[in-house]
Amino acid sequence: MSKLGTSITQFITEQQRTYAGSTAEMTSLLSDIVSACKQISHLVNRTGIMGLGGYAESENIQGEVQKKLDIITNDVMVDHLNWTGHFAAMASEEIEEIIQIPDDQPKGQYLIAFDPLDGSSNIDINLSVGTIFSILRCPEGITEPTVKDFMQKGTEQVCAGFCVYGPSTMMILTTGSGVNGFTLDSHVGEFILTHPNMTIPEDTAEFAINMSNYRFWEQPMQRYIDECIEGVDGSREKNFNMRWVASMVAEVYRVLTRGGIFIYPIDNKASTQGGKLRLMYEANPMSFIVEQAGGLSSTGRERIMEIQPEGVHQRVPVILGSKNEVERVISYHKS
Ligand code: AHG
Ligand code: MN
Ligand code: MN
């Protein structure tokens, strides 16, 4: 059994020996992602010194102006993963089409979808950003994957994780048997197990939502937040606290550590898009992690991981975190 202080390499290797279905290939694949994240951590840390801050001149498929670091970190992920032989294809927030493996490199059995830099609006103000990834199996017999092969429900994920580049760089991982957190020891260049078996408390008095969108929300969402704000004087009879970092990685990390509910609801400004956060590389991997830690994740109407995806960049409403609060929001959507 892995102990505090175990390196991520030892941890994944021991997990591989313990759980049927875990393979040496998965161990090696995760090590490659860990290397990419270490490189990104280094770049994020040196953004100012290396002149990597600010906007690029391009827009991504979402119509968002890209930060220079969005493009650089996307390239780091692609360059670290496209030669390893583990992936048959990749999908990134920053690239419209799926990314094929170069012809001169071997193709593997897995697909990866990633957000190379989450919360990139925070880069220039020196707040936490991160990297999110989701691993799926490439359907059997497919050697030239297309978008269709990525269209698997979140329940099919074999592994998901995210890295948060904050005061410490941390990697949070699940392979479907709980959630573990590792802290990068920059002196030795290794992630060390510091947060074993992360679990989300069922109850919370802390919510995270971008309140400036209040007037665009649906009625069940407005009702839930109204009741939180009324505090001890309202029907909830308790006071709530609020946080909004605008980096999903930082919010989910907080929820994993001390509980809470994180919400990016559908609103009538973004209703044609289905929401703000992207299913394949934000909502699904975070939902897998949150559920593995004992929390819940829903759109308000259905479990996120049971949504049949229709596009790599599809957006969905996200309500995740402490079980009893998420259940309450779901019940408001039902009534
Ligand atoms: P990204 O930087 O990858 O585009 O993602 C940002 C996301 C998410 O991390 C965060 O929760 C949300 O957008 C913040 O949105 P607002 O700026 O609307 O608050
Ligand atoms: Mn993001
Ligand atoms: Mn991003």
Side-chain angles (χ1 to χ4, degrees):
M1 198 51 207
S2 299
K3 297 184 300 291
L4 280 178
T6 305
S7 75
I8 199 166
T9 317
Q10 183 183 347
F11 179 88
I12 302 169
T13 308
E14 286 179 355
Q15 248 201 350
Q16 173 205 318
R17 293 180 191 139
T18 314
Y19 294 100
S22 262
T23 60
E25 163 136 43
M26 184 53 68
T27 302
S28 164
L29 175 160
L30 285 170
S31 299
D32 294 329
I33 295 173
V34 163
S35 304
C37 290
K38 282 191 221 170
Q39 174 80 27
I40 294 175
S41 177
H42 175 73
L43 290 169
V44 164
N45 188 254
R46 294 179 60 81
T47 301
I49 292 165
M50 293 168 75
L52 305 178
Y55 288 97
E57 277 160 17
S58 46
E59 276 188 0
N60 67 11
I61 167 69
Q62 342 274 339
E64 296 161 347
V65 182
Q66 291 172 301
K67 294 275 182 165
K68 286 186 207 162
L69 262 186
D70 284 322
I71 299 170
I72 294 168
T73 55
N74 176 72
D75 292 348
V76 170
M77 288 296 279
V78 172
D79 293 347
H80 271 76
L81 302 178
N82 71 0
W83 57 271
T84 60
H86 299 310
F87 299 105
M90 307 187 272
S92 165
E93 176 189 343
E94 303 305 331
I95 310 278
E96 178 167 5
E97 312 286 341
I98 60 169
I99 305 161
Q100 299 294 346
I101 302 302
D103 287 338
D104 57 346
Q105 300 292 355
K107 285 188 190 166
Q109 307 169 34
Y110 294 96
L111 303 173
I112 181 168
F114 56 82
D115 175 354
L117 196 64
D118 177 65
S120 56
S121 72
N122 280 327
I123 247 308
D124 296 319
I125 54 170
N126 196 27
L127 284 187
S128 294
V129 291
T131 300
I132 312 172
F133 64 91
S134 161
I135 311 286
L136 297 162
R137 278 193 191 82
C138 184
E140 221 152 299
I142 301 290
T143 51
E144 303 284 332
T146 63
V147 170
K148 184 169 68 61
D149 301 306
F150 279 83
M151 299 298 97
Q152 305 180 36
K153 293 181 182 177
T155 48
E156 299 299 311
Q157 293 172 102
V158 285
C159 169
F162 69 92
C163 209
V164 50
Y165 314 110
S168 304
T169 289
M170 292 204 59
M171 171 74 77
I172 310 300
L173 266 188
T174 186
T175 50
S177 46
V179 178
N180 291 283
F182 305 83
T183 305
L184 181 63
D185 180 342
S186 55
H187 292 280
V188 291
E190 262 283 23
F191 280 96
I192 306 296
L193 181 65
T194 47
H195 295 64
N197 290 320
M198 299 180 89
T199 46
I200 301 174
E202 289 189 354
D203 289 299
T204 183
E206 191 163 71
F207 65 89
I209 195 165
N210 185 338
M211 283 296 293
S212 68
N213 292 324
Y214 178 92
R215 69 189 188 283
F216 303 116
W217 300 336
E218 296 179 325
Q219 197 276 333
M221 211 57 257
Q222 289 181 338
R223 174 185 169 191
Y224 175 74
I225 295 298
D226 286 345
E227 290 176 0
C228 291
I229 291 170
E230 283 160 14
V232 285
D233 302 325
S235 58
R236 299 297 306 271
E237 297 175 344
K238 68 172 185 177
N239 289 326
F240 280 77
N241 186 28
M242 194 202 92
R243 287 286 183 275
W244 187 250
V245 188
S247 275
M248 191 188 199
V249 285
E251 323 274 9
V252 173
Y253 183 73
R254 187 184 60 250
V255 167
L256 284 165
T257 341
R258 67 179 189 207
I261 181 167
F262 165 84
I263 310 174
Y264 213 115
I266 186 129
D267 61 40
N268 59 27
K269 159 163 83 64
S271 59
T272 51
Q273 300 175 324
K276 160 120 188 186
L277 297 173
R278 281 59 56 105
L279 176 63
M280 300 301 291
Y281 42 80
E282 291 174 323
N284 267 342
M286 291 310 208
S287 299
F288 191 17
I289 291 165
V290 164
E291 287 195 8
Q292 281 292 317
L296 284 184
S297 181
S298 169
T299 64
R301 296 182 167 86
E302 62 186 318
R303 184 179 170 212
I304 286 180
M305 289 209 289
E306 285 174 4
I307 296 172
Q308 175 57 54
E310 288 167 359
V312 165
H313 302 288
Q314 177 178 350
R315 296 174 190 255
V316 289
V318 174
I319 301 156
L320 61 76
S322 292
K323 185 170 171 285
N324 292 336
E325 289 303 302
V326 177
E327 273 174 352
R328 177 179 285 270
V329 180
I330 294 170
S331 75
Y332 289 3
H333 280 82
K334 282 193 182 128
S335 57

